[in-house]
Amino acid sequence: MDFKTSEITRQVAQTAREFANQFIKPDMMVWDETQEFPLHIFKEMGKLGLMGVLVPEKYGGSGMGYFEYSAVIQEISKICGSIGLSIAAHNSLCTGHILAFGNEDQKMEFLPKLASAEYIGALGLTEANTGSDAGNMQCTAEKDGDEWIINGTKNWITHGKTGDVTVVICRTGKPHTRNNSTSFIVPRTTKGFKGGKKENKLGMRASETAEMIFDHCRVPDTARMGGVGDGFKQAMKVLDGGRISIAALGLGIAKGAYEASIKYAKERHQFGKPIADFQAISFKLADMATEIMAAELLIDQACDLKTRGENVTKEAAMAKYYSSEIAVKVATDAVQIFGGYGYTKDYPVEKFYRDSKLCTIGEGTSEIQKIVIARESLQ
């Protein structure tokens, strides 16, 4: 396999890198402290095509592939994981679900607005008591003539309060039965749909995570995507791509922590020489570099398979699992290299440390990834 970086991927990465350094880096700690979701930043990224990377040009998107998408998330996340996470959720989950399973009318109505960031997207799958156990979800949709009535709550939803449109997966059959959920597109303006509690988080604090509440929310049958009962199957396919994006998020965080560590280890002197000259530090840096390259190769493999339209379930889970775990490890080692300074907000690695942990939880925990990998390997 040849994963030589193409010229377009390099150009896209450079665009994302320059944007992150110019517009995200100066204010990211303010947003982190206040938990502000910087909506204006996403509007600007929409103008650059970063909010519709995978959307075909006919729907107003950039029409690029997964290698470019991964590069965008990595470059943004090297500066701020929160912004990288929100880009991933918007592109992969809401926009990606409509792109994959919406009909032509739905695509024409929503994709141009999502790709331009006129709309910010959300995906409602997780609930308070049904995280991985999605077959037992309590948010239901009942048919009433030509409409569906949605009742229930979704939790820990990226853009749960601010998102202009959500794809929500509702149970339409009995609990713990096959094919018991259906997906719907619900605009924020729909009566009976509102945001709830916003979570106060350890990390990723500028990426909004909130509750979504549906109280006798009526939507037309034209809001339904695919057949009745197809919702969970659709979500699992969407998550294959989403896991690549979270892998890229973890890799970006790891790269950011590693680059900061290299710079600091060369500048920080103890006992008359840079701490990079001490084996204890240089070996940590060697481990970081190796783990980052391994994660990058796993992500590239998943991107390649996805681009060629092949099954990517196992490879995406592997990439997500490994990349998220090494993000935590690299960020932890970075704090150790910085010593006391690493524990302060004056240096970047404490934020990488806090942000990294989400990667092992969101879009399927590391434990769930192992289940997926084992199941796919044993078939």
Side-chain angles (χ1 to χ4, degrees):
M1 292 177 284
D2 181 10
F3 298 137
K4 184 178 180 181
T5 305
S6 70
E7 182 58 32
I8 187 169
T9 303
R10 278 193 290 270
Q11 290 174 0
V12 169
Q14 182 178 345
T15 297
R17 187 183 312 120
E18 291 173 353
F19 182 90
N21 278 290
Q22 184 174 354
F23 296 105
I24 297 174
K25 191 173 184 177
D27 296 314
M28 66 180 188
M29 292 309 295
V30 175
W31 303 331
D32 184 79
E33 289 289 325
T34 61
Q35 292 204 91
E36 176 188 349
F37 178 63
L39 185 59
H40 65 285
I41 289 294
F42 295 90
K43 301 294 185 182
E44 291 301 317
M45 287 192 290
K47 295 175 184 177
L48 292 175
L50 303 183
M51 299 297 279
V53 180
L54 301 170
V55 176
E57 292 180 18
K58 67 177 286 191
Y59 301 119
S62 299
M64 291 185 282
Y66 267 81
F67 283 102
E68 289 75 36
Y69 181 39
S70 173
V72 167
I73 295 175
Q74 287 180 51
E75 292 297 335
I76 297 294
S77 303
K78 281 166 66 174
I79 301 299
C80 180
S82 293
I83 307 303
L85 174 61
S86 278
I87 292 175
H90 173 93
N91 274 279
S92 287
L93 302 185
C94 180
T95 305
H97 201 126
I98 296 171
L99 179 61
F101 298 105
N103 60 39
E104 191 63 20
D105 288 343
Q106 291 166 337
K107 291 177 182 179
M108 291 301 297
E109 180 178 359
F110 292 104
L111 290 180
K113 293 182 174 68
L114 287 163
S116 66
E118 178 182 343
Y119 282 1
I120 299 297
L123 173 72
L125 176 62
T126 306
E127 299 179 8
N129 294 312
T130 56
S132 302
D133 184 18
N136 192 36
M137 66 178 66
Q138 300 302 302
C139 184
T140 61
E142 295 185 4
K143 189 77 181 295
D144 182 28
D146 292 331
E147 295 181 318
W148 292 84
I149 304 173
I150 303 174
N151 281 293
T153 304
K154 295 292 181 179
N155 297 76
W156 301 297
I157 308 304
T158 306
H159 314 145
K161 289 175 74 75
T162 300
D164 300 284
V165 62
T166 184
V167 172
V168 60
I169 314 298
C170 305
R171 183 165 56 79
T172 50
K174 294 185 181 299
H176 291 302
T177 59
R178 293 178 62 85
N179 305 324
N180 71 345
S181 62
T182 304
S183 63
F184 300 89
I185 306 173
V186 185
R188 174 67 59 180
T189 53
T190 307
K191 185 178 179 180
F193 172 33
K194 63 180 181 180
K197 175 190 175 185
K198 180 178 177 178
E199 302 296 339
N200 186 6
K201 298 178 296 182
L202 168 71
M204 301 292 194
R205 290 169 59 83
S207 178
E208 179 188 272
T209 304
E211 184 180 47
M212 294 195 307
I213 300 169
F214 299 88
D215 184 9
H216 291 86
C217 176
R218 284 184 172 268
V219 297
D221 190 52
T222 54
R224 173 173 49 85
M225 278 194 291
V228 175
D230 289 345
F232 184 71
K233 290 186 292 186
Q234 292 174 359
M236 292 304 98
K237 291 179 181 177
V238 169
L239 284 175
D240 281 347
R243 285 166 179 164
I244 295 173
S245 71
I246 299 301
L249 171 66
L251 179 58
I253 290 171
K255 285 183 174 180
Y258 171 68
E259 290 174 9
S261 297
I262 287 283
K263 183 174 185 293
Y264 182 80
K266 290 178 177 179
E267 294 173 351
R268 172 71 167 170
H269 283 66
Q270 291 286 276
F271 305 102
K273 60 182 177 180
I275 63 171
D277 288 352
F278 293 98
Q279 189 179 78
I281 302 299
S282 65
F283 277 16
K284 284 187 185 297
L285 295 171
D287 285 341
M288 289 177 173
T290 303
E291 290 155 354
I292 285 170
M293 181 170 287
E296 193 158 31
L297 288 168
L298 282 169
I299 293 168
D300 284 348
Q301 177 180 242
C303 287
D304 179 62
L305 289 170
K306 187 73 174 172
T307 299
R308 291 192 278 117
E310 297 188 21
N311 187 300
V312 72
T313 300
K314 180 173 74 172
E315 289 77 9
M318 286 178 168
K320 196 271 187 189
Y321 166 54
Y322 185 76
S323 180
S324 62
E325 291 292 336
I326 69 104
V328 173
K329 183 178 181 300
V330 169
T332 301
D333 284 345
V335 171
Q336 196 70 20
I337 288 170
F338 273 74
Y341 291 117
Y343 207 65
T344 71
K345 293 182 183 293
D346 294 328
Y347 289 82
V349 293
E350 70 85 30
K351 184 174 183 298
F352 288 129
Y353 180 75
R354 288 185 291 109
D355 287 348
S356 65
K357 188 57 190 170
L358 183 278
C359 298
T360 70
I361 299 169
E363 295 194 36
T365 63
S366 290
E367 291 74 21
I368 288 294
Q369 304 313 311
K370 290 182 182 181
I371 290 172
V372 172
I373 295 164
R375 183 190 64 215
E376 293 293 315
S377 299
L378 292 168
Q379 284 184 351

